Amino acid sequence: TSLLVVLSCAVMSAQAANWNGGFAKTDKNGCIAENTHPNLYQLRRAFWSCFNQPRAGNGRIRVPASDHPRKLDFDVSENEFVSRQLAKTGLISYLLYRNGKVVTDAITPKDRLGDLFDNTTIHNSQSVGKSLTGYLMGHAICQGHISGLDQTISDWPLMQGTLYENQKIIDLINMNVGDSAYVRSSRILFKNPYNMRGVNHQTMQYWGQALQDKRKFHPLGFNYSQLVSNMVHNYIQYKAGNQYEHVHDTTMFKTGSGYEQLIDLVYRQKAGIEYGLELGRNDAFGFPEEGLMNTNVLATRYDYLRIAIAILEDWRNDTCVGQYLKDLYDRRVKNAYDPKGHGLFRSKTHSKGTYYDYAGFFHTNPAGGKGTIFVMGGYGGQYIAINFDTGTIVVANSVHDDWHTGRLIIDAVNQ
């Protein structure tokens, strides 16, 4: 029997290897290493186990659809280049919004990943969620929960006694606090009680206790960090107040207190999401005051576009949040590219440069960009790009970043 199993596995492996490519390096969750060439079997596995499967039993916060979903206008024509990319890469969704209408609307074919992904499927934002946390911060300030970008987080018990205690909001959301001795991207570099190396494996209370009396600053300020973005999200929740029900798996959203009202304002009222979305957290059994939230957002392809349109409207209408976004741009970190920690458009298929400025969890002024452009980028090829001068928006989702982002993101958003 064992020989049959071995032979069967060998046959399956050979079939998978010939299924549109060879084998790429993956981790235990099926996430595909960057700049590798996965086969279709690996892309399909990554879609579920890397991007959409709840791991570690931490559950999520479920935010229901808007009572009045935003209507999208369509004037679509076929884009043959996009169709070819969908047929042979990890790209699964591409939306181009120009002059107030969706002009390109393309999705993975049924014989590729289309049986897994459609217009109602929620997909993990990855680090795009950091930018959405930056947008949420603007609402927390405009609603009076936080006094402004120059306020520190010294009033937050979870970070008192750490190197972050007296840091200003603007420096935290600009990833400009000189903490590279302790964290780099999502990896923890300091000793902690359970020897955890992944930021999203513990609450902010845990990390705050582990960081007591660690005060070493690196002379280079900018350092891309999941720890800081989680910190900011949980600080927003702390300042606004939270009352969501403590339930295992998916916690039901309710608009009872300040944090829920912020979420309701951003996603249900302003963006007008049609299908509902989910927010990631790091502990299924803890309480909000322990700092449970991470920055992951899971939403549908059209709802990501609706959120981007809301951001564009804030900027153009010069609302309080729009002015906040402009303040971020004015106070951005210039030439923030960090080759050892994080870069925008890291794929070898990218035809433009990789430098950028950084403003409040948004990548700004990307290489090759023309105009005032904010880009939200996440692992595996999640991108939302907004040109505030032209009003053009690009929203792309994928399971592997092996497609032509230079042409489909930068060139497209420039127009």
Side-chain angles (χ1 to χ4, degrees):
T1 303
S2 60
L3 179 59
L4 289 175
V5 170
V6 171
L7 290 173
S8 176
C9 290
V11 171
M12 291 177 64
S13 296
Q15 290 175 339
N18 291 322
W19 197 3
N20 209 28
F23 277 113
K25 181 180 179 182
T26 61
D27 65 15
K28 64 180 180 180
N29 295 313
C31 299
I32 302 167
E34 294 178 329
N35 292 311
T36 58
H37 301 285
N39 55 53
L40 183 55
Y41 170 81
Q42 291 179 308
L43 292 174
R44 290 174 64 85
R45 183 192 173 204
F47 171 81
W48 173 247
S49 62
C50 180
F51 289 94
N52 293 301
Q53 179 180 350
R55 294 194 290 271
N58 289 340
R60 298 170 182 152
I61 307 300
R62 177 71 181 170
V63 181
S66 171
D67 295 332
H68 304 284
R70 178 187 291 268
K71 183 180 181 296
L72 297 176
D73 293 326
F74 294 81
D75 185 14
V76 175
S77 58
E78 184 178 359
N79 186 315
E80 292 183 1
F81 183 76
V82 172
S83 297
R84 291 198 299 271
Q85 293 287 287
L86 287 164
K88 66 179 184 179
T89 70
L91 183 67
I92 58 175
S93 171
Y94 185 82
L95 296 167
L96 178 59
Y97 177 89
R98 186 174 290 146
N99 298 322
K101 295 181 179 180
V102 179
V103 297
T104 302
D105 182 0
I107 195 168
T108 180
K110 287 292 184 183
D111 61 355
R112 193 163 175 81
L113 284 85
D115 58 330
L116 303 176
F117 180 84
D118 62 25
N119 293 337
T120 67
T121 306
I122 61 172
H123 189 69
N124 201 319
S125 68
Q126 300 293 340
S127 289
V128 167
K130 292 181 174 67
S131 302
L132 299 182
T133 299
Y135 186 50
L136 185 65
M137 172 59 78
H139 291 79
I141 290 173
C142 289
Q143 294 295 309
H145 300 297
I146 294 170
S147 64
L149 289 171
D150 291 309
Q151 177 184 316
T152 71
I153 62 169
S154 59
D155 60 341
W156 192 22
L158 297 190
M159 285 298 113
Q160 289 173 356
T162 75
L163 72 159
Y164 299 103
E165 177 180 3
N166 294 312
Q167 297 291 339
K168 294 180 179 180
I169 296 294
I170 184 59
D171 293 323
L172 290 168
I173 62 179
N174 276 352
M175 305 276 195
N176 196 32
V177 293
D179 58 353
S180 59
Y182 300 110
V183 62
R184 185 169 291 279
S185 190
S186 62
R187 304 302 294 168
I188 294 296
L189 306 178
F190 58 91
K191 292 182 179 180
N192 56 87
Y194 300 148
N195 198 31
M196 291 291 179
R197 289 293 174 259
V199 171
N200 285 346
H201 292 163
Q202 292 292 333
T203 66
M204 293 312 305
Q205 182 179 71
Y206 174 89
W207 294 124
Q209 291 172 349
L211 280 165
Q212 291 298 306
D213 301 321
K214 291 181 171 64
R215 299 280 182 164
K216 181 180 178 181
F217 287 87
H218 194 279
L220 296 178
F222 181 76
N223 178 48
Y224 189 84
S225 164
Q226 181 69 44
L227 180 66
V228 167
S229 58
N230 286 0
M231 187 182 304
V232 169
H233 191 180
N234 284 285
Y235 183 69
I236 292 170
Q237 186 181 76
Y238 166 72
K239 293 297 288 183
N242 189 281
Q243 293 180 343
Y244 67 68
E245 296 177 11
H246 179 58
V247 180
H248 184 53
D249 192 21
T250 300
T251 301
M252 295 307 296
F253 173 90
K254 63 178 186 178
T255 57
S257 65
Y259 176 73
E260 286 76 20
Q261 290 174 15
L262 284 178
I263 296 298
D264 184 80
L265 174 60
V266 171
Y267 295 120
R268 302 183 73 241
Q269 296 182 43
K270 293 178 70 172
I273 57 173
E274 184 175 6
Y275 296 104
L277 54 76
E278 295 181 1
L279 306 175
R281 63 182 183 184
N282 295 336
D283 191 317
F285 302 102
F287 295 89
E289 58 268 23
E290 298 171 27
L292 308 178
M293 305 300 295
N294 58 46
T295 59
N296 283 341
V297 175
L298 292 95
T300 68
R301 58 196 298 265
Y302 288 141
D303 282 344
Y304 281 125
L305 176 59
R306 289 181 170 96
I307 296 166
I309 294 171
I311 296 173
L312 174 63
E313 289 175 346
D314 274 326
W315 179 285
R316 288 194 150 183
N317 295 330
D318 204 25
T319 64
C320 176
V321 175
Q323 185 57 56
Y324 159 85
L325 294 170
K326 293 170 185 176
D327 289 343
L328 293 185
Y329 185 75
D330 290 341
R331 301 180 69 173
R332 66 192 183 276
V333 177
K334 296 183 179 180
N335 300 316
Y337 173 63
D338 177 7
K340 293 184 179 180
H342 175 80
L344 184 64
F345 302 123
R346 294 189 295 268
S347 172
K348 291 180 180 179
T349 61
H350 186 67
S351 58
K352 312 292 182 182
T354 55
Y355 64 83
Y356 55 87
D357 297 338
Y358 201 75
F361 295 148
F362 293 90
H363 301 84
T364 63
N365 297 342
K370 299 177 181 178
T372 308
I373 297 173
F374 278 32
V375 180
M376 313 174 217
Y379 170 81
Q382 321 314 313
Y383 293 106
I384 300 176
I386 306 172
N387 189 324
F388 290 116
D389 297 339
T390 66
T392 299
I393 298 172
V394 180
V395 178
N397 301 106
S398 68
V399 292
H400 185 53
D401 197 352
D402 59 348
W403 42 281
H404 288 274
T405 49
R407 180 168 174 178
L408 293 183
I409 302 296
I410 297 298
D411 287 347
V413 82
N414 279 344
Q415 300 178 25

